Amino acid sequence: MAVPQNDRPRHDDRVLDEGSVRDAFRSPRRLKTEVLAGLVVALALVPEAISFSIIAGVDPQVGLFASFTMAVTIAFVGGRPAMISAATGAIALVVAPLSREYGMDYLIAAVLLAGVLQIVLSLLGVAKLMRFIPRSVMVGFVNALAILIFTAQLPHLIEVPALVYPMVAAGLLIMVFLPKLTTAIPAPLVAIVLLTAATVIFALNVPNVGDEGELPSSLPSWVIPDVPFTMDTLSIIAPYALAMALVGLLESLMTAKLVDDITDSHSDKTREGWGQGVANIVTGIFGGMGGCAMIGQTMINVKVSGARTRISTFLAGVFLLILVVGLGDIVALIPMAALVAVMIMVSVGTLDWHSIAPKTLRRMPRSETLVMLATVAVTVATHNLAYGVIVGVVTAMVLFARRVAHLTEVVDVAHPDENTRIYKVRGELFFASSNDLIYQFDYVGDPENVIIDLSDSHIWDASTVATLDAVTTKYAAKGKNVEIVGLNAASAERHVRLSGQMGAEH
């Protein structure tokens, strides 16, 4: 089913959204599916939330509480039912430098500001801008995220006990081969449980989660960031907050579109955008690190478990809190080798291997490959996904303009009589293609009357009108007349409105 261009839900979609929760409670089978889906997602969230906390340089409880508050809040305010939002690797990578340099209070302040920015951007219609992000930029975005997640694991593999390496290898083997036998339990969870059991039973001396920071033993509480409310503080947190807002919106809207396609339904992207902002504000209030939609956990919820309502999203957060608060002592025993293995598999699964296959690279236009590589290079170099996407989009725009500009040509098509010459202009006329237009006419050798036929072209901007004025002025200086014909309605309106107003005579 084609997705409508308008990002607002149709009336029947809104009815389905409001009624699906009630329908689930009326159907024991549907309710069971939603409850089990929420439990499976919560189990899968535990290792990733801890790993993302470590990437961000904060205590594990910060990521765990963020995942709880994000999931519960977005279940009520989000625009895409059944989508999972929590602490993510993308947000962790963005906030890690701020956390390391300025501390937790500045991180919380940045999360709160990011939530406000997401609400503002969403109400201004940022969701509609998703259509301007080329596929090559999205592929570069995903590949860069995979690389950054992998490189973030390297510190846990350097100068560590030798036992860490076989444990990481064992974890990877479990996650590769277990899904071939069963998918009833997430393979990452099985790997963590088995490696933790082996560590406890054989008293292995390897780094564990407890070494990284204290796990929560109580419910999250209100937090007011202890930072000076000054312009200096704003100048510190604003760049990180904006990056968080953009990255969070980008990942969330991409994930929402993916769920739309899987469920053959339409979601309110604007509501999802400002809902992410509200969820981040709530997360900041409770001392979380912020987050956004999670592609992996959402796929577990929607595609593997078959969830379709907000119930599964809400219960994923609730079950997560029960696990970490009630079973915190056990979670602290998880060896870091297990989490490293999980994150390596996440990075491997995130990378778009098809995009870098030699066969694909040979067939793909060089411009598309260049856009992807520019996105990856800038993202990896700056550790900022937003910068990478911005550079990728700009690169794509420049290459597109250059490619389209070369499709414009001026052809001498007819000589009705000795005093008349007809030129035909073919192609799209805008700043990049029209700049050379002025050099493609024979001002000295042409006869007294010149006709420029634009029936096979289109005027897109003021630069083209200025160029046509310059052409007319040059012919007039030689005592020759120019007639422009064949303009379509939009081009004619733009030409009439701007011609003679662009300073071409100078």
Side-chain angles (χ1 to χ4, degrees):
M1 181 180 71
V3 177
Q5 292 297 319
N6 188 351
D7 71 329
R8 302 294 300 176
R10 299 164 308 201
H11 176 70
D12 57 337
D13 290 319
R14 188 179 296 110
V15 170
L16 287 173
D17 185 13
E18 294 172 351
S20 58
V21 173
R22 291 195 298 268
D23 293 342
F25 279 110
R26 294 169 182 167
S27 170
R29 183 178 179 182
R30 166 52 55 187
L31 184 60
K32 176 184 176 182
T33 298
E34 298 295 322
V35 172
L36 291 179
L39 178 59
V40 172
V41 170
L43 292 171
L45 273 174
V46 173
E48 292 203 10
I50 296 172
S51 297
F52 294 143
S53 299
I54 295 167
I55 291 174
V58 297
D59 288 343
Q61 64 180 356
V62 175
L64 292 166
F65 282 162
S67 297
F68 159 67
T69 52
M70 286 292 298
V72 170
T73 305
I74 207 67
F76 291 96
V77 300
R80 174 66 262 180
M83 193 167 79
I84 304 298
S85 291
T88 63
I91 298 299
L93 290 166
V94 170
V95 302
L98 178 64
S99 173
R100 286 194 301 266
E101 188 170 352
Y102 294 98
M104 191 63 199
D105 287 306
Y106 280 85
L107 171 58
I108 295 174
V111 172
L112 293 171
L113 179 58
V116 173
L117 290 175
Q118 287 181 324
I119 293 173
V120 173
L121 290 171
S122 298
L123 295 179
L124 290 176
V126 72
K128 295 183 177 67
L129 297 179
M130 283 294 294
R131 70 187 68 177
F132 296 107
I133 299 180
R135 180 186 178 278
S136 52
V137 173
M138 292 193 176
V139 172
F141 171 87
V142 169
N143 289 344
L145 178 59
I147 293 171
L148 290 177
I149 291 175
F150 177 79
T151 56
Q153 309 312 308
L154 297 180
H156 301 292
L157 296 173
I158 299 174
E159 297 182 357
V160 294
L163 278 173
V164 169
Y165 303 109
M167 291 182 70
V168 170
L172 292 174
L173 290 174
I174 292 171
M175 286 181 281
V176 168
F177 291 105
L178 181 62
K180 300 179 185 299
L181 301 176
T182 178
T183 57
I185 303 176
L189 180 65
V190 174
I192 291 170
V193 170
L194 293 180
L195 290 177
T196 302
T199 301
V200 173
I201 293 172
F202 297 105
L204 302 178
N205 184 21
V206 293
N208 59 30
V209 171
D211 297 329
E212 300 295 325
E214 185 179 355
L215 291 175
S217 58
S218 61
L219 297 176
S221 58
W222 294 79
V223 175
I224 299 177
D226 184 17
V227 298
F229 292 90
T230 62
M231 291 302 297
D232 288 339
T233 299
L234 182 62
S235 67
I236 292 171
I237 67 173
Y240 296 98
L242 180 60
M244 287 177 62
L246 294 175
V247 169
L249 286 174
L250 183 62
E251 284 210 11
S252 299
L253 295 177
M254 288 171 58
T255 306
K257 176 62 172 65
L258 182 60
V259 177
D260 287 352
D261 294 340
I262 292 173
T263 61
D264 195 24
S265 61
H266 180 59
S267 60
D268 187 340
K269 304 300 188 302
T270 297
R271 176 177 173 180
E272 182 59 41
W274 64 253
Q276 290 289 330
V278 172
N280 271 302
I281 291 175
V282 173
T283 297
I285 291 174
F286 284 99
M289 58 180 276
C292 62
M294 299 189 75
I295 296 176
Q297 271 61 34
T298 297
M299 291 302 99
I300 292 174
N301 195 46
V302 175
K303 199 169 185 179
V304 178
S305 302
R308 291 294 182 271
T309 76
R310 300 174 186 273
I311 296 174
S312 57
T313 306
F314 173 78
L315 290 179
V318 173
F319 286 142
L320 175 65
L321 186 65
I322 294 173
L323 284 172
V324 298
V325 174
L327 303 173
D329 292 339
I330 297 176
V331 173
L333 299 175
I334 297 175
M336 287 303 302
L339 298 181
V340 169
V342 170
M343 298 313 299
I344 289 175
M345 286 302 298
V346 169
S347 66
V348 171
T350 300
L351 190 72
D352 187 345
W353 294 97
H354 175 73
S355 68
I356 60 174
K359 184 177 181 181
T360 303
L361 293 175
R362 285 194 298 268
R363 292 182 175 181
M364 191 68 62
R366 292 182 179 178
S367 59
E368 299 287 328
T369 302
L370 180 59
V371 170
M372 181 193 71
L373 292 177
T375 304
V376 172
V378 173
T379 301
V380 173
T382 64
H383 283 226
N384 191 312
L385 292 161
Y387 290 162
V389 170
I390 292 171
V391 170
V393 171
V394 172
T395 303
M397 291 171 61
V398 171
L399 292 176
F400 174 77
R402 181 175 179 272
R403 185 166 60 251
V404 174
H406 289 313
L407 299 178
T408 303
E409 61 177 352
V410 177
V411 183
D412 180 3
V413 294
H415 297 262
D417 54 62
E418 62 180 11
N419 293 323
T420 305
R421 186 176 188 179
I422 300 177
Y423 288 100
K424 196 174 190 67
V425 180
R426 300 190 178 99
E428 304 302 316
L429 299 178
F430 63 109
F431 63 90
S433 61
S434 62
N435 284 338
D436 293 334
L437 196 65
I438 194 170
Y439 304 113
Q440 300 187 46
F441 298 93
D442 186 0
Y443 302 102
V444 176
D446 279 346
E448 181 179 347
N449 299 312
V450 175
I451 298 175
I452 301 176
D453 184 359
L454 299 180
S455 57
D456 289 343
S457 59
H458 186 97
I459 297 176
W460 287 103
D461 61 3
S463 295
T464 301
V465 176
T467 299
L468 293 174
D469 284 352
V471 171
T472 303
T473 300
K474 282 182 173 292
Y475 273 116
K478 305 294 183 182
K480 301 173 182 180
N481 300 316
V482 176
E483 182 182 2
I484 298 176
V485 302
L487 292 170
N488 58 38
S491 298
E493 187 277 332
R494 185 171 287 111
H495 185 262
V496 170
R497 175 161 49 90
L498 297 177
S499 182
Q501 308 298 318
M502 309 303 297
E505 68 273 17
H506 300 299

